[in-house]
Structures are given as structure tokens and as C-alpha cells.
Amino acid sequence: MGVSGGIAAYKACELLRRLTESGHEVRVVPTASALHFVGEATWSALSGNPVSTAVWDDVHEVPHVRIGQAADLVVVAPATADVLAKAAHGLADDLLTNTLLTARCPVVFAPAMHTEMWEHPATQENVATLRRRGAVVIEPAVGRLTGVDTGKGRLPEPAEIYETCRRVLARGAERVAADLAGRHVVVSAGGTREPLDPVRFLGNRSSGKQGYALARTAVARGARVTLVAANTELPDPAGADVVRVTTAHQMREAVLKAAADADAVVMAAAVADFRPAHYAEGKIKKKDGEEPAPLELVRNPDILAELSADRPHPGQVVAGFAAETDDVLANGRAKLARKECDLLVVNEVGERKAFGSEENEAVILGADGEETPVPYGPKEALADVVWDRVARRL
């Protein structure tokens, strides 16, 4: 674990704790600047290993070569603009940058810096270079920075950085390459709500967990991810740009905007098919002795069909989800033909199936006739198979 010299270095202590408590052996390599924020004794105590700070320490062990060669994963958190620049240009003036040059394992950078530094063309070019080489560079979060500044550049929460590291490690050494590196993908998640009056809405049981699993796995595979989330209570996945919406119309607007330059769009959200024809400005009252007026519904826009029909460029891959309660495959095949998308993930849903669960099972239908059953298991496992199919088409 590399730690560079930013105020967010204190957050890396939590990341280190999560890595060690999950059974990993961690060697911390701080830069000289990082030690101004968190001392060597802290890193040593939390990792249970000696801390290497310079190429001149334990020279007989050749640490500038051995540390990188032996690692299953290198994660740099926080990664300053300086470290990103050195890594992109192959500079090696300390132990951390030497380790980055010798590492033959996956490398994850979690940047943290002021907004202006992150948005500078030099930093953006360096990030693009690292991603093109297969490194996973997590998009920084938006929030409070040093002092009174607020913007994009905040280190993502350690728990979410850990999840990215876990997903990268889970893919295994034989799948080191970040196969979505350089790609922009859009994922929708959650369930839309259609207001009836100021206190009531029509909604569904979707928790957003499958869409968030898709976002996390895409980040771990190197993609730049835009997550359009409807009414979820889940923490933002590290590295994803999260756009929050409520209704189907808001979902449509946000997804179409994000899809304009996207390589792939995966619509995992449960978008309401209908909405109330009339919105009551005041709460609808219950009147004694009177039955409620019938609820008139109108159709919502079909976002998946619109995405499939009006693609901004011919190489864009569009995938959807079909939540069915009966005749699952027959209904899924009919929906695939009707929506004209490239892939359709068909799963059976119900009060205790899929919605809100940590697990899922599905069949992925392809427009080319391919059918891929995915057995019952974690939603992240299904997400990885979906991205396998998307990456193949890209």
C-alpha cells in the first residue's frame, strides 16, 4: 500500500485496517511527504510489518525491486497529482515510485487533491495514460476538501476503496488486464418513484444493489463509471460519478445525457412503466362514506428502447434487465426483440426474490441468440458476467 503526501493520508489508516482484518499481508510504502501527515510508527503498528520509506533502507534486500515483484496488488491511497505524474512518466526517485515500476500485478490509484489540480489537463492526461496501460484509477469523490473548499477531488471512503481492491484481487492474476480501461460506461440503479400527491408515490421494491454491484465491478475493471441512481440508500461506490434522480422522466434525462459519450449503457434500474395521470397539489384526503376515485395511469417513456434505437455512435453496447414473475424466459426473449438491445438480463423477481437481496440468478440473453445462465450467487458475480459479455461486444 503506497501512501503519498496529502491530508487524506489519515483515511488510509482505515483502508489498511480493512485490508489486514480481511486476511491480507500489507507492506506500507509511504513517501517522505506522507510521513508529515501520519508517522512511520502508525503504519508499522497497523500493518504488523516494518515500514519502508527509502530505497536506501535494507539495501541488501533490494526493496525497490522485491516489494513490487512480490505483491498481488499495489494500491496507492491517497495518490497525489505528483505521484500520478511520476507513475505516468516512469519517474522513480523514491521507494514508492520504484515499486510502481517493478510491479507486475494490478495497480489501483485512489487520487485525492484539490479540484483545480484534478481538472488540470496535465493530470487528466496522466490519468488517461495510466488507464490506457491497465491501471485502475478511481475517480475521486465530490465533497469537502482541505479548509473551506468543496468539489471533486476528495478521497473516496476507505470502505469503498477496499471494495474496489477486493474486486480487483477476486478477478485473479490471469485476468490482470483492466478490460474496460479507457471506456465510459453508464449504469442505472434503484427504483423510480412517481408522485401521486406531496406524500404518496407509486414505486417498487428495487434496492439498487444489482446496479451498484455493476458500478463497482466496472470500476475494478478500469472503466469510468456514471451511476444514475434512483431512490437508493447505498453508499456511493468508489470511483463512480453518481447522479441522483427520483422519477422515470428524471432517469431518462440523466441517462440520455450520460450516454452521449458512453461506450456501454446497462439499465439495471427498475423504471416505472406508468405514472399517475394527475398530480394532486395537496394531500388526497379520505372522506367518510366515499370510495377513493379510480387512479388513472399513463405510460412513462421507454428508456431502454429509446437508447437502443437512437445510439450516438454505432459501437455503443446497450444492455437491459427484465424483472419477470412468470414465463420468465419467454417474456425475456419477447422483450429483447421488442427493445432491440444487445443484451437482456432476465431474472425472476418477487417479494423475497432478487429485490433487496445480496444474491441473484439470471439468464443473459444476447441479440445474437446467445443465452448464458448465471447460477444463484452474489450480485457481483452476475455483474462480472454481464461485463464479460459487454466487453466482448466492445
Side-chain angles (χ1 to χ4, degrees), residues 123-247:
T123 303
Q124 290 301 301
E125 287 183 17
N126 291 332
V127 168
T129 297
L130 292 169
R131 285 173 172 164
R132 189 170 60 251
R133 293 174 184 162
V136 175
V137 185
I138 300 173
E139 289 284 315
V142 176
R144 181 73 177 268
L145 306 173
T146 308
V148 297
D149 291 348
T150 298
K152 188 167 187 177
R154 180 183 174 91
L155 186 74
E157 291 305 309
E160 289 300 317
I161 300 174
Y162 167 75
E163 286 299 318
T164 299
C165 294
R166 185 178 65 81
R167 291 304 308 157
V168 172
L169 284 166
R171 284 177 57 75
E174 74 281 0
R175 303 172 73 186
V176 164
D179 57 355
L180 295 178
R183 302 290 191 176
H184 176 209
V185 302
V186 178
V187 178
S188 69
T192 62
R193 295 177 178 177
E194 309 304 319
L196 178 61
D197 64 21
V199 298
R200 301 183 180 94
F201 59 86
L202 295 180
N204 57 65
R205 298 179 185 274
S206 177
S207 65
K209 290 180 179 179
Q210 184 63 71
Y212 275 61
L214 283 157
R216 286 194 181 95
T217 52
V219 168
R221 294 170 74 149
R224 176 167 68 90
V225 180
T226 300
L227 175 63
V228 182
N231 308 300
T232 65
E233 298 180 359
L234 304 171
D236 291 354
D241 288 322
V242 182
V243 181
R244 302 196 178 279
V245 298
T246 301
T247 67

Side-chain angles (χ1 to χ4, degrees), residues 98-385:
N98 272 270
T99 300
L100 290 170
L101 275 183
T102 57
R104 293 298 179 266
C105 58
V107 178
V108 175
F109 294 93
M113 63 196 74
H114 277 275
T115 306
E116 294 83 358
M117 299 174 73
W118 172 253
E119 293 178 347
H120 194 283
T123 303
Q124 290 301 301
E125 287 183 17
N126 291 332
V127 168
T129 297
L130 292 169
R131 285 173 172 164
R132 189 170 60 251
R133 293 174 184 162
V136 175
V137 185
I138 300 173
E139 289 284 315
V142 176
R144 181 73 177 268
L145 306 173
T146 308
V148 297
D149 291 348
T150 298
K152 188 167 187 177
R154 180 183 174 91
L155 186 74
E157 291 305 309
E160 289 300 317
I161 300 174
Y162 167 75
E163 286 299 318
T164 299
C165 294
R166 185 178 65 81
R167 291 304 308 157
V168 172
L169 284 166
R171 284 177 57 75
E174 74 281 0
R175 303 172 73 186
V176 164
D179 57 355
L180 295 178
R183 302 290 191 176
H184 176 209
V185 302
V186 178
V187 178
S188 69
T192 62
R193 295 177 178 177
E194 309 304 319
L196 178 61
D197 64 21
V199 298
R200 301 183 180 94
F201 59 86
L202 295 180
N204 57 65
R205 298 179 185 274
S206 177
S207 65
K209 290 180 179 179
Q210 184 63 71
Y212 275 61
L214 283 157
R216 286 194 181 95
T217 52
V219 168
R221 294 170 74 149
R224 176 167 68 90
V225 180
T226 300
L227 175 63
V228 182
N231 308 300
T232 65
E233 298 180 359
L234 304 171
D236 291 354
D241 288 322
V242 182
V243 181
R244 302 196 178 279
V245 298
T246 301
T247 67
H249 274 276
Q250 292 172 353
M251 172 75 73
R252 174 185 176 273
E253 181 179 351
V255 168
L256 292 182
K257 180 180 179 181
D261 68 343
D263 297 287
V265 183
V266 179
M267 288 291 297
V271 181
D273 293 320
F274 310 102
R275 69 182 185 277
H278 306 288
Y279 174 75
E281 297 294 338
K283 179 182 175 182
I284 300 172
K285 298 292 186 179
K286 179 175 64 177
K287 298 179 180 179
D288 293 338
E290 293 185 16
E291 292 298 319
L295 181 59
E296 183 183 355
L297 301 175
V298 295
R299 285 184 179 273
N300 268 328
D302 191 328
I303 306 172
L304 181 58
E306 186 174 354
L307 283 168
S308 299
D310 300 321
R311 307 187 195 207
H313 53 86
Q316 188 179 74
V317 176
V318 177
F321 271 67
E324 302 290 345
T325 57
D326 53 60
D327 297 328
V328 175
L329 279 180
N331 287 335
R333 293 187 186 104
K335 184 173 184 178
L336 175 65
R338 191 169 63 252
K339 306 289 187 179
E340 297 184 334
C341 50
D342 300 294
L343 296 166
L344 191 71
V345 184
V346 185
N347 59 329
E348 186 175 358
V349 297
E351 187 171 346
R352 294 179 177 84
K353 291 182 179 179
F355 286 147
S357 171
E358 301 294 337
E359 291 77 30
N360 203 353
E361 64 178 315
V363 177
I364 304 174
L365 304 178
D368 55 4
E370 181 184 38
E371 295 190 6
T372 307
V374 182
Y376 185 80
K379 288 183 173 178
E380 285 183 346
L382 173 58
D384 260 328
V385 180

Side-chain angles (χ1 to χ4, degrees), residues 18-44:
R18 288 179 178 272
L19 288 167
T20 55
E21 288 186 356
S22 60
H24 298 292
E25 182 179 354
V26 185
R27 184 83 176 261
V28 181
V29 183
T31 64
S33 297
L35 295 177
H36 286 286
F37 296 97
V38 179
E40 183 177 334
T42 299
W43 300 123
S44 181

